[in-house]
Amino acid sequence: MSNVILEAKDVSIKFGGLVAVSQFNMKLVGGELAGLIGPNGAGKTTLFNMLTGVYQPTSGAISFLGEPIKGVKPFDLSKRGISRTFQNIRLFKGLSVLDNIRIAAHQHTHYSMVEALLISQRMKREEKTALDQAMDLLKIFNLENRALEIAGSLPYGQQRRLEILRALATKPKVVMLDEPAAGMNHSETHSLMDTISAIRKRFGVTVLLIEHDMKLVMGICERILVLDHGVTICEGNPSKIQKDPKVIEAYLGSAATSETKN
Amino acid sequence: MVDFKRSILMPVLVILVCLGIDYVVPEIFNPYLQTLIAYSGINIILAVSLNLVNGFTGQFSIGHAGFMAAGAYMSAFLTMTFPHWAGPIVGLNFFFNTIAGGLLAAAAGFAVGLPSLRLKGDYLAIVTLGFGEIIRVVLLNIEAVGGARGMYGIHHSASIFWTGFWVFICCFTVTRLMNSTHGRAFLSVREDEIAAESMGVDTTKYKVRAFVISSFFAGVAGSIFAHYLCYLNPSSFAFMKSIDVVVMVVLGGMGSISGSFVAAIIITLLPEALRPLQEITTIDFRMVIYSLTLIVLMLTKPQGLFGELEISDLFRKYVKRHS
Ligand SMILES: Nc1ncnc2c1ncn2[C@@H]1O[C@H](COP(=O)(O)OP(=O)(O)OP(=O)(O)O)[C@@H](O)[C@H]1O
Ligand SMILES: [Mg+2]
């Protein structure tokens, strides 16, 4: 395990009396596509929030590219190369599709406000680069014709895709996707999963994927972590996960309880 | 290095136009109308600058009059105490004093911006409101600037030219910023702070920047006000003044510079236009009609007159429809 880029060591977080994530350990290797699965309320999103600086762990340490990220603000982590999407889409809904992407590229522009007033050469150059790169990205998901539409007016599936593009526009080293297929139908989901593995190859990014549905990630992830009640109950390749009795129990258990609830 | 046509030639042209207007206006309009033109200009600066915070960055500030007061008193104090520090030319002294007023207001904006950043919505509004009142009360108690009596005999340095000049600088600054990556950063804070932060926008920095730039222009507006009216009193900067500016921003459309511009003129002129009515009926209907007009406008156009669009967008739409 030479090129570990994101590492979590004994990370725990408590909300009042609730231990949402407990003693979590993970080593994310550069270039891999790892999956994070677990039933409802397992702590997956909470973990993402810690890895992206939104929450600070109660104990334990997270390091990115060998440096501890304790107290580093989310925007700074984004600049260092961690990007993400959100479980309940958080696009800039009132802005155009293009501006959504360009805001993610904001960190790659360097011209000052004074230069913006004077329209300096550097501003022109950087704006042009941002525009060109944004349009190139939009082409990946065939959204280039929608560039000037308001993001909030896109159909749901396209909003999800746009959010992934926006995450990529920061030029991340690691991109974390929180249930990118939520709310999609079967065929949409499968094509999205294919796109995600294609994107990983094309951009050379490391992907950490949260998915609620275990079967979905089996196809594309090399390595899967299973979280239940904040505890890692299993880690390994898809075939190992599928056979693990604890995983089966966690999923069956949750299915059983939700059935009794209904 | 810079875009000559758009960043040097255009401002120079505008300044020449302002000089032309400055020459023509006194010939055509009587002093009363001239004052209305100047007040419209002051209100345009206030509304457009507040729009940067309330409209584009999505923060809710209702203390703009406080920053205006800071700029007004600072510049007036300089004019009274050091009448010719920047040389014999009156305009030049006024120019530098206005900038000094703007800078003090900007510093005040920074001071409010920093601690208030953790607050959102109503809470931020209360802090800015409180801050505006604090400035007013402090001024009320500083004898050096006249206290409750106010400040008399400030040199009448603010001409139509200077008003137009600063209106231009303010609109120019906000427009250019909004057409840059910095403008998009302001918008991202309004749209979704958490997402903005996750995409690498330093939301704290941009909120402070919005406050500082906005307060600077409020201070500038204050300076013009002081040097046009030639008299200052803390009561001019009471809470209602802040509310007036918020009304202009909302009426014009949160996030539309053209909207703030037009709404500022409407709000300035409407009560004056209703004055004859009062003379005929001898009852002061003005505020009633003024308020009713606002209510009707907000009911029929809740997004404000312009929504988020600019004059240029509307023009483009019009051309599209008719071609
Ligand atoms: N800010 C918070 N304050 C208090 N409790 C929280 C907070 N955030 C999360 N939790 C709790 O932590 C637990 C884990 O939540 P989390 O959202 O991480 O689950 P999840 O694995 O993402 O579930 P899902 O599949 O439903 O998205 C839940 O019990 C949740 O209520
Ligand atoms: Mg979740």
Side-chain angles (χ1 to χ4, degrees):
Chain A
M1 291 273 224
S2 52
N3 68 351
V4 174
I5 68 171
L6 187 62
E7 184 174 5
K9 258 193 203 142
D10 298 329
V11 170
S12 305
I13 187 167
K14 280 187 201 144
F15 296 112
L18 176 86
V19 184
V21 174
S22 147
Q23 301 287 312
F24 180 80
N25 283 286
M26 178 187 75
K27 278 183 180 164
L28 208 55
V29 179
E32 80 171 323
L33 199 170
L36 183 64
I37 64 173
N40 267 330
K44 308 180 292 292
T45 301
T46 306
L47 187 65
F48 263 32
N49 283 335
M50 289 191 286
L51 294 174
T52 53
V54 178
Y55 293 159
Q56 290 299 322
T58 316
S59 64
I62 301 167
S63 58
F64 180 59
L65 298 171
E67 279 177 50
I69 61 163
K70 189 172 191 269
V72 179
K73 289 225 186 145
F75 81 87
D76 208 350
L77 285 178
S78 170
K79 287 183 174 174
R80 293 186 193 192
I82 299 181
S83 195
R84 72 175 292 185
T85 64
F86 296 87
Q87 184 166 355
N88 35 9
I89 311 176
R90 276 180 177 272
L91 284 173
F92 305 121
K93 288 206 166 64
L95 305 182
S96 70
V97 169
L98 177 64
D99 280 350
N100 268 271
I101 304 279
R102 285 197 291 186
I103 287 166
H106 169 75
Q107 53 179 283
H108 299 296
T109 59
H110 304 286
Y111 67 90
S112 67
M113 286 190 156
V114 175
E115 284 177 89
L117 297 185
L118 298 177
I119 313 190
S120 69
Q121 287 302 324
R122 178 158 75 154
M123 166 176 183
K124 281 191 191 168
R125 201 174 52 237
E126 290 184 350
E127 283 291 320
K128 184 169 185 321
T129 314
L131 180 65
D132 291 347
Q133 292 183 349
M135 291 312 285
D136 284 347
L137 268 178
L138 288 173
K139 280 186 191 126
I140 298 176
F141 279 154
N142 294 322
L143 282 168
E144 76 267 31
N145 299 325
R146 303 226 164 195
L148 296 180
E149 278 178 41
I150 299 299
S153 70
L154 292 183
Y156 181 80
Q158 290 191 349
Q159 290 196 21
R160 282 243 171 252
R161 286 160 172 265
L162 176 58
E163 209 193 10
I164 298 175
L165 283 186
R166 187 183 66 174
L168 291 170
T170 64
K171 301 183 183 164
K173 297 190 176 71
V174 179
V175 57
M176 306 192 197
L177 308 174
D178 197 344
E179 301 202 24
M184 289 189 175
N185 66 31
H186 218 69
S187 67
E188 280 177 326
T189 306
H190 277 282
S191 89
L192 181 72
M193 290 299 155
D194 291 342
T195 325
I196 289 171
S197 48
I199 281 172
R200 176 185 51 139
K201 291 202 185 82
R202 175 163 170 177
F203 292 87
V205 293
T206 311
V207 182
L208 182 60
L209 177 69
I210 288 187
E211 192 39 75
H212 191 74
D213 186 343
M214 181 161 67
K215 285 182 217 103
L216 283 175
V217 285
M218 293 297 172
I220 59 167
C221 293
E222 290 115 22
R223 197 157 65 89
I224 294 171
L225 286 108
V226 189
L227 218 56
D228 188 24
H229 294 298
V231 183
T232 316
I233 53 171
C234 186
E235 181 184 349
N237 60 27
S239 53
K240 179 184 166 196
I241 299 289
Q242 261 167 328
K243 287 184 209 114
D244 192 284
K246 275 196 252 165
V247 177
I248 295 167
E249 209 220 289
Y251 269 83
L252 284 180
S254 74
T257 45
S258 65
E259 261 162 38
T260 47
K261 262 187 222 157
N262 290 340
Chain B
M1 282 305 283
V2 297
D3 187 324
F4 180 75
K5 242 205 258 156
R6 282 193 290 172
S7 59
I8 297 178
L9 200 61
M10 190 179 99
V12 170
L13 275 180
V14 170
I15 289 171
L16 287 178
V17 170
C18 286
L19 275 174
I21 295 174
D22 188 48
Y23 186 75
V24 173
V25 162
E27 305 286 324
I28 310 173
F29 299 110
N30 62 37
Y32 167 65
L33 290 176
Q34 287 179 40
T35 309
L36 287 187
I37 294 174
Y39 280 8
S40 300
I42 291 166
N43 282 336
I44 290 169
I45 299 173
L46 288 172
V48 170
S49 59
L50 186 67
N51 207 341
L52 184 62
V53 171
N54 287 26
F56 293 118
T57 316
Q59 307 302 300
F60 194 38
S61 164
I62 47 173
H64 220 42
F67 303 117
M68 184 189 178
Y73 271 89
M74 176 71 184
S75 61
F77 179 76
L78 286 176
T79 305
M80 300 282 280
T81 329
F82 314 103
H84 301 296
W85 68 272
I89 305 167
V90 172
L92 215 56
N93 278 289
F94 175 55
F95 177 72
F96 285 118
N97 290 346
T98 301
I99 289 183
L103 289 178
L104 181 72
F110 183 77
V112 195
L114 264 192
S116 324
L117 290 168
R118 291 161 193 277
L119 306 173
K120 289 195 172 67
D122 307 348
Y123 302 100
L124 178 65
I126 291 166
V127 170
T128 54
L129 163 71
F131 191 80
E133 285 299 290
I134 289 173
I135 293 188
R136 195 176 62 81
V137 172
V138 166
L139 289 171
L140 209 54
N141 289 292
I142 299 181
E143 270 309 310
V145 293
R149 274 172 294 118
M151 231 169 158
Y152 294 87
I154 304 160
H155 189 274
H156 184 89
S157 325
S159 52
I160 298 288
F161 164 74
W162 282 115
T163 314
F165 171 82
W166 282 111
V167 166
F168 168 73
I169 296 288
C170 176
C171 296
F172 174 89
T173 305
V174 178
T175 310
R176 278 289 152 77
L177 286 182
M178 291 320 295
N179 282 306
S180 75
T181 194
H182 302 290
R184 292 192 291 272
F186 287 133
L187 291 171
S188 74
V189 175
R190 175 188 78 189
E191 292 291 317
D192 191 322
E193 236 180 287
I194 293 178
E197 187 89 4
S198 293
M199 291 301 119
V201 177
D202 186 345
T203 55
T204 312
K205 184 167 97 185
Y206 275 92
K207 279 194 258 179
V208 174
R209 282 181 168 187
F211 258 100
V212 168
I213 297 169
S214 166
S215 318
F216 174 82
F217 283 110
V220 165
S223 168
I224 300 170
F225 178 77
H227 292 83
Y228 203 94
L229 197 68
C230 307
Y231 163 68
L232 279 183
N233 186 296
S235 62
S236 308
F237 307 103
F239 175 54
M240 271 319 287
K241 181 65 201 173
S242 297
I243 294 298
D244 273 348
V245 187
V246 173
V247 168
M248 290 171 207
V249 172
V250 175
L251 180 68
M254 305 270 265
S256 167
I257 298 164
S258 321
S260 294
F261 192 103
V262 172
I265 297 177
I266 293 178
I267 299 278
T268 316
L269 299 187
L270 194 59
E272 299 302 323
L274 294 172
R275 211 181 271 281
L277 196 73
Q278 180 197 0
E279 276 154 22
I280 297 166
T281 57
T282 67
I283 311 166
D284 195 355
F285 279 130
R286 281 188 305 150
M287 282 335 271
V288 178
I289 294 181
Y290 171 82
S291 318
L292 276 178
T293 315
L294 286 183
I295 293 172
V296 170
L297 270 172
M298 286 330 290
L299 284 177
T300 48
K301 287 201 82 106
Q303 297 298 309
L305 294 173
F306 284 71
E308 272 193 57
L309 299 176
E310 297 296 343
I311 293 261
S312 53
D313 302 323
L314 294 177
F315 182 71
R316 233 173 281 142
K317 266 192 180 172
Y318 179 83
V319 170
K320 224 176 172 181
R321 204 178 302 145
H322 293 265
S323 62

